[in-house]
Amino acid sequence: MDSLTSQRAGLESGEFSSVELVEATLSRAEAEGRTLGAVVGLRGESALSEAAASDSRLRAGEARSPLEGTPFLLKDNMVMQGEPTTCASKILEPFISPYEGAMAEKLRAAGAIVIGRTNMDEFAMGSSTENSIFGPSHNPWDPTRTCGGSSGGAAAVVAAGVTGYALGSDTGGSIRQPASFCGVVGMKPTYGRVSRFGLVAFASSLDQIGPMTRTARECAWVLEAISGHDERDSTSIPEPAPRLESALDGDVSGLRIGLPKEYFVEGGTDPEVLARVHAGIKELESAGAKIVEVSLPHTEYVVATYYLVATAEASSNLARYDGARYGRRAEGVQDLDEMYRRSRSEGFGDEVKRRILLGTYVLSAGYFDAYYRKAQQVRTLVRNDFQKAFDTCDLIAGPTYPETAFGLGAKVDDPVSMYLGDIFTVSANLAGLPAISIPCGFAEGRPVGLQLLGPALGEAGLLRAADAFQRRTDFHEKRPVLDGISERIQELEKAR
Ligand code: GLN
């Protein structure tokens, strides 16, 4: 019962109750989840009493949604009333949310059970879940490697079968890249599709919440439950939640898949990864899709553009952590200025400080035109590239990330090499487009992700293609071997 599909079937047939499922899940979350460094907080008793209420609805035939009675985890940057939200940061360590965020609200209204929170890079800044006050998350396929980031904990719990689904947030790849590293499905919806109310802001024009699951169908269930207009988020699209499951008919005949020539150049991407991605595309072709070449000529500028826009917005968003209003305040300060300075110096980790500095710099008088304004102009060009490409294709395919999961510690002291890996994921955020990563094979035993990108509001088309792919392949059915993993992780931690 480690997938949402099997959990839903078991609950509907009465094979087990939600209380039994939540109990079993809590103990796995406590064991595997904590060992992997993927779970950072659990709510046991209240989750169990919600499960009991869910059982009464299930027995009465009053299930509120396909997610009724199923447990899941929030990423630790999504607030829930009365629960901690830390963003894996010292500065928010003492923070308890006074209000309910849209994700907790919507999924609880759908009958789903929040059982706790997953690990992440501090304020979602990173690609490895190593920038965290809780320590790193380990990849369930190989604990010496990262599970990607920043939603690494969410990807790891789904891959390890702790929960059937989890929520991630994606500002520049943070759902899709960990999904690819851990061999699960991760989708970043169209900007504005899912409410950001109660999501701690990193870069507001890029941030978007999305599901992490094993299959495209499960992804459709979760996305239906979390999307829809929310007037508390001014960028929320005034559209009702889309009906997605009915689109999953397995039919991709005539679908035009664009391959951007810039995504398949020699040298940049691990050849093994490219081979698996090509094989995945072939699979869709043999199912009837047509392959066309497209061009995204500004690809070489997207990483620089993203790191200017994202850091500028982060520097402004993170100004609110001043020691006065939220979370942690430095002790023994003499005056206001010292309170700001020390609260922030002590509260933020190195990567967050680096980004605040960079973002403040690019917004400052004299540099604004050269960096921030220029980046906004390039962003428009990137958006135009996609518009043009979608004149000749229905969706775009390529790798999610240039390599498989890298080793823990391999890049954490080399920010530029960490940033460069985001080449294939940040464009969807800059252009506001939906994109999904699906498992398409293994390289040296590690999962590889195939990324599909679609036009705005094109989630149904992406999910249809992803589902068609999964009907023909079994990569999503493979499971990491977890026996003995806790001993291995203990040894690794000792050696650190
Ligand atoms: N890796 C990217 C970064 O560090 C993306 C992070 C994200 O999507 N939250 O900014």
Side-chain angles (χ1 to χ4, degrees), residues 75 124-127 149-150 169-174 202 306-307 355 422:
K75 182 174 174 178
M125 297 174 187
S127 307
S150 64
S169 65
D170 190 311
T171 305
S174 278
F202 161 11
Y306 167 81
Y307 278 94
R355 300 211 187 187
D422 298 337

Side-chain angles (χ1 to χ4, degrees), residues 202-480:
F202 161 11
S204 309
S205 77
L206 303 162
D207 298 340
Q208 188 61 198
I209 292 171
M212 312 192 67
T213 57
R214 288 191 178 283
T215 69
R217 184 169 297 271
E218 295 160 353
C219 182
W221 296 338
V222 180
L223 186 56
E224 281 188 17
I226 61 174
S227 48
H229 183 59
D230 184 349
E231 60 189 20
R232 298 166 300 182
D233 171 357
S234 63
T235 61
S236 168
I237 298 170
E239 289 262 344
R243 304 247 52 88
L244 296 167
E245 195 178 5
S246 51
L248 310 185
D249 56 10
D251 185 9
V252 290
S253 53
L255 181 79
R256 296 167 304 165
I257 299 181
L259 305 188
K261 58 176 192 271
E262 296 80 3
Y263 285 17
F264 293 92
V265 290
E266 294 276 306
T269 300
D270 179 338
E272 282 268 335
V273 167
L274 268 188
R276 300 279 76 74
V277 167
H278 273 301
I281 293 164
K282 268 251 152 349
E283 194 65 51
L284 285 167
E285 196 178 6
S286 66
K290 302 259 168 308
I291 305 302
V292 296
E293 190 185 274
V294 296
S295 177
L296 299 171
H298 295 92
T299 299
E300 62 175 305
Y301 306 111
V302 296
V303 171
T305 305
Y306 167 81
Y307 278 94
L308 294 173
V309 174
T311 56
E313 293 184 15
S315 81
S316 144
N317 273 325
L318 271 58
R320 62 171 68 98
Y321 305 103
D322 53 9
R325 284 171 292 183
Y326 309 98
R328 182 188 163 101
R329 176 180 305 167
E331 280 171 29
V333 291
Q334 303 302 317
D335 56 34
L336 189 63
D337 191 55
E338 191 188 352
M339 180 185 86
Y340 292 156
R341 215 167 350 95
R342 283 205 18 230
S343 299
R344 290 170 68 79
S345 303
E346 293 165 15
F348 291 131
D350 288 348
E351 181 59 26
V352 174
K353 285 179 185 158
R354 185 178 291 127
R355 300 211 187 187
I356 292 173
L357 289 170
L358 188 60
T360 305
Y361 179 83
V362 306
L363 287 176
S364 58
Y367 296 102
F368 183 90
D369 286 329
Y371 294 108
Y372 186 71
R373 188 187 307 280
K374 187 62 79 196
Q376 292 294 12
Q377 289 166 338
V378 179
R379 189 172 182 180
T380 302
L381 297 175
V382 172
R383 207 175 277 144
N384 294 347
D385 281 357
F386 278 101
Q387 224 150 39
K388 208 159 152 225
F390 286 125
D391 283 342
T392 59
C393 67
D394 303 304
L395 53 84
I396 287 172
T400 303
Y401 199 75
E403 55 184 327
T404 57
F406 48 82
L408 285 162
K411 296 191 189 203
V412 74
D413 297 321
D414 184 357
V416 173
S417 87
M418 190 81 95
Y419 299 171
L420 287 172
D422 298 337
I423 176 90
F424 300 129
T425 48
V426 295
S427 300
N429 304 78
L430 290 170
L433 303 176
I436 190 169
S437 179
I438 51 175
C440 71
F442 293 83
E444 290 169 34
R446 298 190 291 278
V448 177
L450 168 67
Q451 181 176 223
L452 304 175
L453 299 107
L457 303 182
E459 284 87 357
L462 287 181
L463 288 164
R464 176 189 290 124
D467 170 65
F469 181 79
Q470 291 190 320
R471 290 177 191 227
R472 288 165 176 84
T473 56
D474 65 357
F475 307 118
H476 58 288
E477 278 158 19
K478 304 272 188 269
R479 302 285 189 267

Side-chain angles (χ1 to χ4, degrees), residues 17-53:
S17 67
S18 174
V19 167
E20 286 167 335
L21 176 60
V22 169
E23 265 170 357
T25 303
L26 283 167
S27 63
R28 298 206 59 188
E30 199 58 73
E32 283 97 329
R34 297 256 193 204
T35 304
L36 288 164
V39 171
V40 299
L42 287 169
R43 49 192 296 274
E45 259 171 56
S46 29
L48 283 167
S49 70
E50 287 167 26

Side-chain angles (χ1 to χ4, degrees), residues 94-110:
F95 179 74
I96 307 284
S97 177
Y99 72 104
E100 185 88 332
M103 291 304 99
E105 180 186 87
K106 283 207 168 228
L107 285 169
R108 291 169 94 188

